[in-house]
Amino acid sequence: MTLLKCIAVDDEPLALKLVETFIHQTPFLELITTCDNAVDAMGIIRETKPDLVFLDINMPNLSGMELARLLQDQPGPLPKIVFTTAYNHYAIEGYRVNAVDYLLKPFSYEEFLRASSKVLQLSEEANNHFNTIAADDEFIFLKIEYQWVRISLKDITYIESLKDYVKVHLEDSQKALLSLISLKALEEKLPSSKFMRVHRSFIVSLDKISAISKNSIFIDKIEITVGEQYKEAFKMLVDKWLK
């Protein structure tokens, strides 16, 4: 499941605490921080690049609506916004700044979850668009920290599973890339003509295999054991190579 990093902004302590509680109750939301004014929130948003901002509208010095307009002028991807307010006359104006939803105080957890789920659906649709590749594609987009990174398939040597993350090892790079996606999900998006799952924790680039033994694959000095359930498929591939 996609994990949305979010912040909550409200100058009313009780309202802010309620949103914080609702965020912690929601499995696909991760709270970065809370903020009690829009001026500080702007700096936090620029620094942390959250996926979602729960934003109160009526705040001193800089309103939530003004902050939303300022964010639209900033370079880079914009966070999704869900407005929280006690005044319903802001609804139309909220949609003018591309707010995903509008929660009228006091709102229930059911209403909060419905709004959050809208953002999740939009995010997953974007993920599917960026991650889906055909067998003849030459690159893939993966979300690394707070940005989408284009990775050439020819640069990938092998991919390692770390629970809910994958570590993508690249040729001529000492630093691997870490992305929040399961190995199975990534396997389904990679062309089988170029990549092969050889272990429950490893996918290898077939072009980067430098040597093979009965139970292992070597990519330069890296040895990767072929898992028991993958041995038959790998044997068939090797037999094809050696014909």
Side-chain angles (χ1 to χ4, degrees), residues 196-200 202 204 209 212-218 223-235 238:
M196 187 174 193
R197 180 86 171 260
V198 296
H199 189 277
R200 62 187 181 88
F202 290 97
V204 299
I209 295 175
I212 55 176
S213 65
K214 183 177 180 181
N215 297 312
S216 295
I217 290 169
F218 295 85
E223 180 179 2
I224 298 173
T225 301
V226 179
E228 192 64 38
Q229 70 182 95
Y230 304 96
K231 283 184 178 179
E232 186 60 33
F234 183 67
K235 182 179 181 300
V238 172

Side-chain angles (χ1 to χ4, degrees), residues 53-96:
V53 179
F54 293 97
L55 184 59
D56 183 29
I57 293 181
N58 278 8
M59 290 183 287
N61 299 321
L62 184 70
S63 74
M65 194 65 68
E66 290 167 336
L67 172 58
R69 292 195 200 100
L70 290 172
L71 290 175
Q72 289 191 312
D73 296 331
Q74 302 302 309
L78 296 175
K80 299 291 189 295
I81 292 175
V82 172
F83 280 120
T84 61
T85 182
Y87 303 95
N88 59 15
H89 62 272
Y90 285 112
I92 294 176
E93 193 175 357
Y95 289 115
R96 286 175 181 162

Side-chain angles (χ1 to χ4, degrees), residues 3-240:
L3 188 65
L4 301 177
K5 297 182 182 295
C6 56
I7 70 170
V9 186
D10 201 310
D11 64 328
E12 299 176 16
L14 290 178
L16 189 59
K17 186 64 178 176
L18 180 65
V19 174
E20 180 181 357
T21 300
F22 284 172
I23 290 172
H24 288 314
Q25 286 179 223
T26 309
F28 57 83
L29 297 182
E30 179 182 335
L31 182 65
I32 297 175
T33 190
T34 61
C35 192
D36 62 5
N37 68 85
V39 175
D40 289 345
M42 180 183 294
I44 292 171
I45 291 169
R46 287 173 176 170
E47 181 181 349
T48 64
K49 296 180 174 57
D51 303 303
L52 170 59
V53 179
F54 293 97
L55 184 59
D56 183 29
I57 293 181
N58 278 8
M59 290 183 287
N61 299 321
L62 184 70
S63 74
M65 194 65 68
E66 290 167 336
L67 172 58
R69 292 195 200 100
L70 290 172
L71 290 175
Q72 289 191 312
D73 296 331
Q74 302 302 309
L78 296 175
K80 299 291 189 295
I81 292 175
V82 172
F83 280 120
T84 61
T85 182
Y87 303 95
N88 59 15
H89 62 272
Y90 285 112
I92 294 176
E93 193 175 357
Y95 289 115
R96 286 175 181 162
V97 293
N98 296 320
V100 175
D101 212 338
Y102 181 101
L103 292 172
L104 188 62
K105 298 176 182 178
F107 49 84
S108 66
Y109 178 65
E110 181 183 356
E111 292 170 309
F112 175 89
L113 183 59
R114 189 180 302 120
S116 301
S117 296
K118 281 187 186 179
V119 180
L120 178 65
Q121 182 178 353
L122 290 171
S123 178
E124 289 184 336
E125 288 172 357
N127 286 357
N128 290 337
H129 173 73
F130 279 114
N131 283 332
T132 301
I133 60 174
D136 58 350
D137 284 336
E138 298 180 351
F139 60 86
I140 186 171
F141 278 92
L142 286 178
K143 193 169 186 182
I144 312 295
E145 294 183 349
Y146 302 109
Q147 60 185 342
W148 289 98
V149 176
R150 173 173 161 154
I151 303 169
S152 294
L153 296 184
K154 65 181 178 60
D155 292 337
I156 299 174
T157 56
Y158 67 98
I159 303 164
E160 181 180 0
S161 173
L162 298 173
K163 293 188 177 179
D164 295 329
Y165 290 81
V166 296
K167 185 183 271 191
V168 181
H169 297 266
L170 303 175
E171 194 171 35
D172 300 326
S173 176
Q174 308 232 340
K175 186 177 180 182
L177 301 177
L178 198 64
S179 180
L180 180 61
I181 184 174
S182 70
L183 194 65
K184 179 176 175 55
L186 183 53
E187 178 188 9
E188 292 172 353
K189 301 177 189 302
L190 290 169
S192 59
S193 61
K194 297 179 181 180
F195 294 89
M196 187 174 193
R197 180 86 171 260
V198 296
H199 189 277
R200 62 187 181 88
S201 298
F202 290 97
I203 293 173
V204 299
S205 170
L206 298 177
D207 290 340
K208 298 299 187 297
I209 295 175
S210 55
I212 55 176
S213 65
K214 183 177 180 181
N215 297 312
S216 295
I217 290 169
F218 295 85
I219 298 177
D220 293 330
K221 296 180 181 179
I222 303 298
E223 180 179 2
I224 298 173
T225 301
V226 179
E228 192 64 38
Q229 70 182 95
Y230 304 96
K231 283 184 178 179
E232 186 60 33
F234 183 67
K235 182 179 181 300
M236 291 174 63
L237 179 67
V238 172
D239 289 344
K240 182 179 177 181

